[in-house]
Amino acid sequence: MNLEDIIQETKTYYCLECGKCTSICPIARYDSAFSPRMMIENALLGFEDELVLNQKLFSCLTCYTCQQECPSDVDFPIFVRKARSIAQDNGQHGICAHSGQLQSLARLMTSPAIKQKRLEWLSKEYRVSEDSDVLLWVGCAPYFEPIFEDIEFSPLDITKASLKTLNLLGIEPKLLSNERCCGHDALWTGDIETFKKLAEHNATQIKEAGVKKIIFSCPEGYRTFKLDYPNYVDLGCEVQHISELLAEKIGQNGVKFKEIKKKVTYQDPCRLGRHLGVYDAPRKVLESIPGIELVEMRHSGWESICCGTSAFTNCDSYSNMLRAERLSEAVETGAEMLITACPKCQTHFRCAMVDKGEEKRSMPEIEIMDLANLVANAIKEEVIISK
Amino acid sequence: MAEFEPQIVAFCCNWCSYAAADLAGTSRIHYPPNVRIVRVMCSGMVNPIYVLKAFEGGADGVLVAGCHLADCHYLDGPVKCDAMVDKLRKVLHVLGLEDERLRREMVATSEGVIFAQVIREMVEQLKKVGPSPFKAKMEALV
């Protein structure tokens, strides 16, 4: 794909140069060298090298805030994603966080010969079924578990909580023992080749498993399956985020919660919120737990501020400033706990709170928890099981 | 069909293990030629991505060798290296790689014999384990 095709496809030529994108962009607020408008202009004026050979191309969070305000409806995140694939062809990969381990793992997972041991955490207290037509997507959690152990974060806890919640709702899901990375990070860093291979592996396995519905505890996987997979592979099944499933069950009065007295605030993950428009389901779940008081941050809903990095590239001091801003907004609300529905938000916020850098910067601190964990703690066991 | 010859990438620290490999050579100690040595300044600087890239490139095994705990030129290199290897081992385990494919050794300058012994053992073990599941990409280059 060349630049001209990208301009045609994302309707970049409609750009009015109004600069709303740059003024609302969370990264541009801190990093004056980053400008979505300038990137679009470079593309329209044919300065391809200025666009694709610039490291700043990988700074975009693809958080979709710009697109909410754009009067011409230019799909800037997709524009960036496609420009990144040209950049990849030119040997640019952005500055990969964690020295690029996570990108490398995705590439390693494209090998058809591997036999992963990704379900060793599964203990007898969880009920799974081989014949179920509902699948719980585990995703990267088993890999993130050792990688992020020093920031006191356990992604598998979220998976376990989701599985427990499903069990309590009377669902015994199937788990795939050899599923691959969904390819979200590969796709958004422009590594289309890796993404295609991963998507094909996953689609084949899902078809063989004969499932009708996939439940996600990670919005990135959810987005990728819902919006990106249909362009490359045929899945032939429904996908749903666990918060949507819960909201649905609560609507049918199928869930009983015990009281948890806590004042909480909610961080909208960009993939779940702006990408897919799921704002109400997680709030509905939070509000239906007795004792939980939900207070909104200064920026919430579509305005909410991103956690600062996407696809593990270009995580820099600007990302950290963004996290500090978001965390201070959370603290300002007076909430005891920050609830999010995305494991990656949690990774980035926790990292910012633990790793204060050599300059020992001050970072607002707040307890942080995934929605699935809160729900698993709050759900009344006896009621559901006897049902 | 010819017997499978594993390919090993060895990250050896400049001050001890690389010198040990040198000593093995100058002392005419025989060991299998399956190893490609990468000299690094310290075992503590070996980043997980070096190891992962070696596997991506088709290595059947990776050896990370450096000074003994008290010998490090930079004081705490081996401690960092041990922590890195422990963490990476857990990740590679999930990926389904056999434990034998990543080996951590401490080899001092005077231990040329031990270096040769380590390589011999590793080649033997890897022959049993078989080719790496990531091999396909590398095949064309060999």
Side-chain angles (χ1 to χ4, degrees):
Chain A
M1 182 173 276
N2 61 31
L3 197 56
E4 190 51 43
D5 294 338
I6 298 175
I7 292 172
Q8 293 300 328
E9 207 173 300
T10 55
K11 300 203 171 50
T12 310
Y13 49 78
Y14 279 144
C15 175
L16 301 170
E17 299 183 41
C18 68
K20 280 190 176 178
C21 45
T22 305
S23 60
I24 203 170
C25 172
I27 284 288
R29 241 193 346 262
Y30 294 106
D31 182 0
S32 55
F34 179 80
S35 164
R37 175 167 72 160
M38 186 61 97
M39 286 154 86
I40 295 265
E41 286 321 299
N42 278 335
L44 290 174
L45 295 171
F47 300 148
E48 184 170 330
D49 286 358
E50 306 271 317
L51 176 71
V52 300
L53 300 181
N54 190 344
Q55 280 290 349
K56 295 284 174 203
L57 180 63
F58 287 88
S59 286
C60 174
L61 301 170
T62 59
C63 68
Y64 264 96
T65 314
C66 51
Q67 215 245 352
Q68 307 284 320
E69 279 289 283
C70 178
S72 311
D73 211 17
V74 173
D75 200 341
F76 186 71
I78 298 291
F79 168 80
V80 164
R81 187 170 99 185
K82 299 200 173 206
R84 282 176 184 175
S85 69
I86 301 183
Q88 287 268 0
D89 296 342
N90 286 294
Q92 298 285 324
H93 311 283
I95 302 158
C96 299
H98 304 278
S99 60
Q101 284 176 67
L102 303 149
Q103 282 85 351
S104 177
L105 282 172
R107 288 195 296 271
L108 286 170
M109 269 186 256
T110 57
S111 165
I114 54 167
K115 291 185 184 66
Q116 298 173 81
K117 294 176 185 142
R118 47 161 51 247
L119 295 180
E120 282 184 354
W121 53 271
L122 197 63
S123 59
K124 285 216 172 87
E125 58 180 300
Y126 306 106
R127 283 172 293 131
V128 293
S129 151
E130 271 304 302
D131 322 311
S132 177
D133 56 1
V134 178
L135 177 77
L136 176 68
W137 191 256
V138 177
C140 307
Y143 291 96
F144 286 0
E145 187 77 15
I147 293 174
F148 295 125
E149 65 188 7
D150 46 6
I151 59 165
E152 296 145 31
F153 172 49
S154 166
L156 273 179
D157 271 356
I158 301 175
T159 316
K160 287 177 192 167
S162 310
L163 187 51
K164 187 181 164 197
T165 310
L166 289 180
N167 283 173
L168 292 173
L169 292 173
I171 302 169
E172 287 183 15
K174 191 185 175 92
L175 299 182
L176 290 179
S177 60
N178 213 7
E179 67 184 30
R180 304 302 207 281
C181 163
C182 65
H184 172 278
D185 291 356
L187 180 67
W188 287 92
T189 45
D191 189 356
I192 309 290
E193 195 193 341
T194 302
F195 173 75
K196 270 190 194 158
K197 283 185 194 157
L198 293 169
E200 278 158 18
H201 275 301
N202 285 331
T204 321
Q205 290 195 37
I206 286 164
K207 269 193 198 149
E208 276 172 14
V211 288
K212 288 198 183 110
K213 190 177 187 178
I214 313 175
I215 307 285
F216 291 86
S217 55
C218 169
E220 296 200 339
Y222 181 38
R223 191 227 126 91
T224 309
F225 269 73
K226 192 162 185 176
L227 301 180
D228 299 317
Y229 271 24
N231 298 333
Y232 294 91
V233 288
D234 175 33
L235 276 181
C237 67
E238 200 191 331
V239 289
Q240 199 174 35
H241 189 254
I242 187 141
S243 64
E244 290 177 295
L245 177 84
L246 281 163
E248 208 178 279
K249 294 277 176 187
I250 290 165
Q252 300 160 357
N253 292 325
V255 192
K256 297 276 178 291
F257 292 110
K258 43 184 186 233
E259 191 174 16
I260 293 187
K261 270 211 167 314
K262 272 239 151 83
K263 195 172 173 185
V264 301
T265 182
Y266 176 69
Q267 156 79 5
D268 283 279
C270 48
R271 265 58 191 166
L272 197 61
R274 283 180 294 265
H275 283 232
L276 293 159
V278 182
Y279 299 109
D280 300 334
R283 290 186 167 79
K284 191 177 167 189
V285 175
L286 284 173
E287 276 160 1
S288 59
I289 302 174
I292 290 279
E293 186 195 341
L294 177 65
V295 280
E296 294 290 355
M297 283 183 262
R298 198 143 51 87
H299 296 93
S300 68
W302 74 264
E303 287 179 314
S304 67
I305 299 171
C306 174
C307 63
T309 309
S310 89
F312 290 109
T313 49
N314 285 29
C315 179
D316 49 20
S317 56
Y318 304 117
S319 307
N320 249 318
M321 289 178 196
L322 205 59
R323 280 172 210 147
E325 184 188 344
R326 191 55 168 167
L327 285 169
S328 64
E329 278 192 7
V331 172
E332 268 169 35
T333 60
E336 297 159 74
M337 201 190 260
L338 174 64
I339 301 291
T340 172
C342 178
K344 294 245 182 115
C345 289
Q346 209 179 138
T347 314
H348 299 142
F349 284 134
R350 275 180 191 268
C351 178
M353 287 192 278
V354 171
D355 178 16
K356 296 193 165 54
E358 279 174 8
E359 65 270 35
K360 301 266 181 279
R361 56 178 168 259
S362 63
M363 188 63 74
E365 296 204 7
I366 186 167
E367 198 185 338
I368 172 163
M369 195 189 237
D370 196 273
L371 183 68
N373 290 89
L374 185 75
V375 169
N377 291 343
I379 240 172
K380 261 194 187 162
E381 306 195 5
E382 65 279 18
V383 177
I384 308 292
I385 288 171
S386 63
K387 247 185 100 178
Chain B
M1 209 177 116
E3 195 191 3
F4 160 63
E5 288 293 342
Q7 283 173 317
I8 302 169
V9 174
F11 295 98
C12 293
C13 102
N14 179 52
W15 307 99
C16 290
S17 303
Y18 193 83
D22 248 356
L23 183 66
T26 47
S27 318
R28 305 280 191 273
I29 303 169
H30 284 262
Y31 66 87
N34 304 45
V35 58
R36 312 284 185 275
I37 298 177
V38 180
R39 175 156 65 166
V40 291
M41 285 310 282
C42 176
S43 58
M45 67 154 284
V46 177
N47 191 297
I49 190 69
Y50 299 175
V51 179
L52 290 173
K53 278 260 164 122
F55 283 122
E56 257 187 75
D60 296 296
V62 175
L63 168 69
V64 185
C67 307
H68 285 273
L69 280 172
D71 291 353
C72 180
H73 198 77
Y74 310 99
L75 306 178
D76 59 355
V79 180
K80 284 183 183 161
C81 184
D82 280 344
M84 183 283 285
V85 170
D86 285 350
K87 202 168 172 176
L88 187 60
R89 231 180 247 293
K90 290 181 199 162
V91 176
L92 293 178
H93 177 77
V94 180
L95 204 53
L97 274 194
E98 298 82 354
D99 287 347
E100 293 90 335
R101 295 199 191 274
L102 175 60
R103 187 163 172 155
R104 163 87 175 106
E105 282 295 336
M106 292 177 186
V107 187
T109 320
S110 57
E111 298 176 330
V113 181
I114 295 185
F115 183 84
Q117 183 58 32
V118 166
I119 302 296
R120 254 181 252 126
E121 276 175 25
M122 217 175 152
V123 169
E124 210 171 288
Q125 283 171 350
L126 288 174
K127 277 187 179 170
K128 278 185 204 147
V129 177
S132 147
F134 312 119
K135 195 94 181 166
K137 263 198 251 171
M138 191 68 177
E139 224 82 286
L141 298 172
V142 181

